[in-house]
């Protein structure tokens, strides 16, 4: 009884000395609000406590592990940390003296506990779904184009000032406060594609054969980001956003789609670089759920492989070019047999190989096209139909309804010795540049998957695909189909040799001309 009277006296004196009674009665629980999407399951310390938005009292003296989950979304996991404050801080001398006496008499610990996060906005990231897409997809590169040292955000401490504003502490700079590797983001993207059951192509950098590339190829450029962090009594909130431009191409480098995303994510007490990867992943998932990309992934090619059987054999007649003519005349004659192939998606090149209207080109020139037109060097334009294709070797044989066309002979007995002079004829870049001629040599013969490709240093540009590679006798020795592209790379192009053309398209040259 006497002890209690002494306690009441001390408390009364403390009140008169600017102290606060509540520090001696901190309570056990603290109300915390967690707001998330409808139907999301909220688990605290392994126990289900509700769905959607909840408000719940949590013990102040312990940490709480939070898990928020929903089918079709990535889980959001974080921890609310318990912290403690010294109750003696901020008291006047007399208040401190009498508080210490009361704590000694009543055995009250010298600190009180807090869960400083009272209202939590917890977003969930929707998972993409491959939906058994028809076409493969691969992320080839992620390029970070942010200047080193650029200010990207700041760190703040929660202020106790009357105006309630956050106290600025220091800035975040790119390269100093972040260590994100572009290659890591590329790997992360392809790992996500695998996990979500997309079909991806391994070793997607092969260049000699486009059959080894994915149907859909994605590249990304990160132009900017923000990184802000907020600290309060041992708990932190980190907010990160990325501004990303995505480019989507088919396996032949034709641009199909451009998308920009600028998604932001926030995490509570996140560790290390997880929040940055989550922010990037949110942008990536935004891309994968884009309706235009989904349509591309599930689009049937309008052109299918045509199985060739013996009865489908096509016998062509080689046009007789007088090899005694001088080179200038041969080149002039060759340009009369080359043409520009025009589709709604762009243009490429082709060559007439039979006077009845058979035209060779590359499959990727006419892929995903509803109509095909051919433009001759005299300005005549005709509709063309697909006779057959070879997906494996990227070849197509077209047919126009016209006769007595000038064709170029296929050279079946031509040696492909290194250093031999060759000429490429096609329509680079622009339709107005039709029948352009470039000169080079055979630089090598490269084998890939049982096919020999002719390597050459002739000038090859967009639009040259499907054009012919001829020798100084005016005979076709190959069809241009690819080139190496990259910093410091020049003069490395490839052509499909005649032997492969005849075999894969089931074409035969009349016996009397062999």
């Amino acid at each position: 009884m006497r002890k209690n009277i002494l306690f009441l006296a001390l408390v009364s004196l403390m009140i008169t000395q600017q102290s606060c009674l509540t520090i001696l009665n901190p309570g056990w629980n603290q109300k915390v609000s967690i707001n998330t999407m409808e139907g999301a399951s909220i688990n605290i310390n392994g126990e289900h406590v509700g769905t959607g938005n909840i408000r719940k009292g949590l013990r102040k003296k312990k940490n709480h592990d939070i898990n928020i989950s929903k089918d079709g979304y990535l889980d959001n996991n974080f921890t609310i940390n318990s912290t403690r404050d010294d109750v003696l801080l901020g008291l006047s001398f007399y208040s401190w003296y009498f508080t210490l006496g009361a704590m000694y008499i009543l055995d009250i610990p010298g600190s009180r506990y807090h869960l400083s996060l009272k209202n939590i906005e917890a977003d969930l990231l929707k998972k993409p779904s491959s939906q058994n897409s028809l076409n493969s997809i691969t992320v080839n590169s992620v390029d970070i184009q942010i200047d080193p040292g650029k200010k990207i955000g700041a760190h703040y401490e929660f202020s106790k000032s009357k105006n309630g504003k956050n106290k600025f502490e220091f800035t975040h700079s790119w390269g100093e406060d972040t260590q994100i590797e572009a290659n890591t983001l590329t790997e992360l993207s392809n790992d996500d594609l695998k996990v979500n059951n997309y079909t991806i192509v391994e070793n997607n950098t092969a260049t000699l054969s486009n059959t080894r590339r994915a149907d859909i190829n994605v590249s990304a450029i990160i132009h900017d980001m923000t990184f802000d962090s907020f600290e309060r009594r041992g708990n932190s909130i980190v907010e990160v956003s990325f501004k990303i431009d995505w480019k989507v191409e088919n396996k032949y480098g034709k641009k199909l789609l451009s998308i920009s995303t600028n998604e932001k994510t926030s995490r509570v007490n996140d560790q290390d670089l997880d929040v940055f990867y989550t922010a990037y992943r949110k942008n990536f998932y935004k891309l994968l759920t884009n309706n235009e990309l989904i349509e591309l992934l599930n689009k049937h090619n309008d052109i299918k492989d045509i199985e060739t059987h013996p009865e489908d054999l096509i016998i062509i007649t080689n046009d007789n070019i007088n090899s005694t003519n001088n080179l200038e005349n041969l080149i002039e004659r060759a340009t009369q047999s080359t043409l520009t192939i025009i589709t709604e998606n762009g243009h490429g090149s082709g060559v007439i190989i039979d006077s009845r209207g058979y035209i060779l080109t590359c499959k990727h020139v006419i892929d995903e096209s509803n109509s095909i037109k051919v433009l001759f060097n005299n300005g005549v334009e005709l509709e063309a139909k697909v006779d057959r294709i070879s997906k494996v070797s990227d070849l197509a044989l077209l047919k126009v309804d016209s006769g007595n066309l000038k064709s170029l002979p296929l050279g079946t007995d031509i040696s492909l010795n290194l250093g031999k002079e060759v000429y490429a004829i096609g329509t680079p870049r622009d339709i107005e540049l039709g029948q352009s001629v470039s000169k080079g040599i055979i630089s090598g013969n490269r084998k890939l998957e049982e096919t020999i490709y002719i390597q050459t240093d002739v000038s090859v540009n967009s639009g040259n695909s499907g054009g012919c590679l001829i020798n100084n006798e005016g005979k076709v020795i190959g069809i241009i189909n690819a080139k190496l592209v990259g910093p410091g790379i020049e003069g490395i192009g490839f052509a499909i040799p005649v032997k492969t053309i005849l075999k894969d398209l089931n074409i035969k040259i009349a016996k009397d001309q062999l």
Side-chain angles (χ1 to χ4, degrees):
M1 181 71 178
R2 189 174 179 179
K3 189 175 183 179
N4 290 339
I5 293 173
L6 179 59
F7 167 67
L8 290 174
L10 287 169
V11 168
S12 298
L13 194 54
M14 285 168 56
I15 293 173
T16 64
Q17 296 296 325
Q18 304 175 0
S19 61
C20 180
L21 180 62
T22 57
I23 63 173
L24 299 178
N25 182 28
W28 295 105
N29 293 336
Q30 178 176 313
K31 291 290 185 180
V32 174
S33 296
I34 300 177
N35 302 312
T36 186
M37 65 191 319
E38 183 179 354
S41 175
I42 302 174
N43 293 273
I44 300 179
N45 301 322
E47 178 185 353
H48 178 71
V49 296
T51 58
N53 301 328
I54 67 165
R55 182 170 172 80
K56 186 173 178 61
L58 301 179
R59 288 288 301 273
K60 296 180 179 181
K61 291 183 64 174
K62 64 178 293 185
N63 296 337
H64 300 276
D65 294 324
I66 313 297
N67 167 264
I68 303 175
S69 62
K70 184 177 181 178
D71 287 344
Y73 293 80
L74 287 178
D75 286 5
N76 189 344
N77 299 294
F78 57 90
T79 300
I80 301 176
N81 295 322
S82 173
T83 59
R84 63 182 185 178
D85 295 335
D86 193 333
V87 299
L88 303 181
L89 295 176
L91 298 178
S92 66
F93 173 78
Y94 294 108
S95 297
W96 181 89
Y97 177 80
F98 286 112
T99 301
L100 183 61
M103 293 170 62
Y104 174 77
I105 294 171
L106 300 178
D107 296 324
I108 298 174
S111 59
R112 61 177 179 177
Y113 291 85
H114 298 273
L115 298 177
S116 60
L117 298 176
K118 297 179 180 179
N119 296 287
I120 301 169
E121 299 293 330
D123 60 343
L124 292 180
L125 184 58
K126 185 175 177 61
K127 293 180 180 179
S129 173
S130 68
Q131 301 176 339
N132 298 316
S133 56
L134 297 173
N135 298 313
S136 58
I137 179 172
T138 298
V139 176
N140 291 325
S141 66
V142 177
D143 186 16
I144 302 175
Q145 295 185 358
I146 303 175
D147 293 334
K150 178 182 178 181
K151 178 184 174 182
I152 55 176
H155 179 78
Y156 301 90
E157 294 285 347
F158 279 86
S159 172
K160 294 182 180 179
S161 61
K162 292 182 180 179
N163 61 18
K165 291 184 178 180
N166 297 326
K167 181 183 177 183
F168 171 79
E169 290 293 326
F170 54 83
T171 62
H172 292 302
S173 299
W174 176 253
E176 297 175 9
D177 302 292
T178 53
Q179 298 294 330
I180 305 171
E181 297 291 338
N183 288 340
T184 302
L185 296 180
T186 304
E187 293 172 3
L188 175 70
S189 304
N190 289 314
D191 287 344
D192 272 353
L193 291 173
K194 289 180 185 178
V195 169
N196 290 291
N197 299 315
Y198 288 84
T199 302
I200 76 166
V201 176
E202 303 285 356
N203 301 319
N204 199 45
T205 56
T207 54
L208 296 189
S209 173
N210 287 312
T211 60
R212 296 186 63 182
R213 298 196 72 204
D215 298 306
I216 303 296
N217 293 270
V218 178
S219 59
I221 297 177
I222 300 177
H223 288 289
D224 203 358
M225 72 169 294
T226 61
F227 170 28
D228 292 312
S229 54
F230 307 85
E231 189 79 21
R232 183 179 181 181
R233 292 186 179 132
N235 289 272
S236 64
I237 299 175
V238 180
E239 294 181 350
V240 174
S241 71
F242 283 106
K243 183 178 180 181
I244 306 178
D245 287 343
W246 305 90
K247 183 170 69 173
V248 180
E249 298 178 335
N250 68 9
K251 66 170 61 179
Y252 309 109
K254 182 185 293 183
K255 184 177 177 181
L256 303 176
L257 190 62
S258 292
I259 300 173
S260 295
T261 58
N262 188 10
E263 295 295 309
K264 181 173 103 172
T265 192
S266 61
R267 285 292 183 266
V268 179
N269 296 324
D270 214 332
Q271 300 296 317
D272 301 323
L273 295 175
D274 287 350
V275 66
F276 296 98
Y277 296 140
T278 301
Y280 170 80
R281 182 180 271 123
K282 192 170 184 179
N283 281 269
F284 184 48
Y285 284 8
K286 186 79 171 181
L287 168 73
L288 292 178
T289 53
N290 178 275
N291 289 332
E292 291 181 87
L293 181 63
I294 292 173
E295 184 179 342
L296 288 172
L297 285 167
N298 291 281
K299 184 176 182 180
H300 286 276
N301 262 337
D302 296 319
I303 300 169
K304 297 296 179 184
D305 280 328
I306 301 173
E307 294 184 4
T308 54
H309 303 286
E311 60 267 29
D312 296 324
L313 178 68
I314 294 177
I315 299 177
I316 64 170
T317 302
N318 267 346
D319 214 347
N320 184 24
I321 291 184
N322 188 352
S323 60
T324 60
N325 282 343
N326 64 48
L327 185 59
E328 290 183 7
N329 290 338
L330 285 173
I331 296 297
E332 174 62 29
R333 170 65 180 79
T335 60
Q336 298 174 23
S337 300
T338 58
L339 42 78
T340 302
I341 296 174
I342 304 171
T343 74
E344 66 268 33
N345 298 317
H347 80 275
S349 303
V351 58
I352 304 167
I353 61 169
D354 186 272
S355 62
R356 294 170 294 171
Y358 286 106
I359 299 167
L360 269 180
T361 188
C362 286
K363 175 182 176 292
H364 74 261
V365 171
I366 58 171
D367 258 348
E368 302 169 6
S369 302
N370 296 316
S371 66
I372 304 170
K373 294 180 180 180
V374 295
L375 178 64
F376 295 86
N377 73 327
N378 59 4
V380 173
E381 188 175 285
L382 296 176
E383 292 277 349
K385 294 182 179 180
V386 179
D387 185 273
R388 62 189 61 190
I389 69 167
S390 171
K391 184 176 181 180
V392 172
S393 51
D394 186 30
L395 289 166
L397 185 67
L398 309 181
K399 180 73 167 61
V400 294
D401 292 332
S402 182
N404 298 320
L405 298 177
K406 291 183 178 181
S407 63
L408 284 182
L410 300 181
T412 57
D413 57 348
I414 303 299
S415 64
L416 302 178
N417 295 331
L418 302 187
K420 194 165 188 176
E421 289 186 350
V422 290
Y423 303 85
I425 307 177
T427 310
R429 297 291 181 183
D430 193 279
I431 292 176
E432 297 297 324
L433 300 177
Q435 289 78 42
S436 292
V437 181
S438 61
K439 178 182 178 181
I441 62 171
I442 295 178
S443 307
N445 295 293
R446 308 302 177 190
K447 185 176 182 180
L448 181 65
E449 297 177 352
E450 306 305 319
T451 298
I452 301 293
Y453 289 85
I454 304 170
Q455 179 183 331
T456 178
D457 67 348
V458 295
S459 178
V460 175
N461 294 285
S462 175
N464 274 117
S465 292
C468 60
L469 187 69
I470 66 173
N471 63 4
N472 52 17
E473 296 178 358
K475 293 183 178 181
V476 176
I477 64 170
I479 295 294
I480 299 291
N481 87 315
K483 68 175 290 187
L484 287 183
V485 178
I489 298 176
E490 291 290 343
I492 304 179
F494 299 95
I496 306 165
V498 168
K499 183 178 179 181
T500 301
I501 295 169
L502 297 176
K503 171 177 164 292
D504 289 359
L505 292 178
N506 204 11
I507 298 173
K508 188 175 181 179
I509 300 172
K511 285 185 178 181
D512 59 347
Q513 296 186 319
L514 292 177

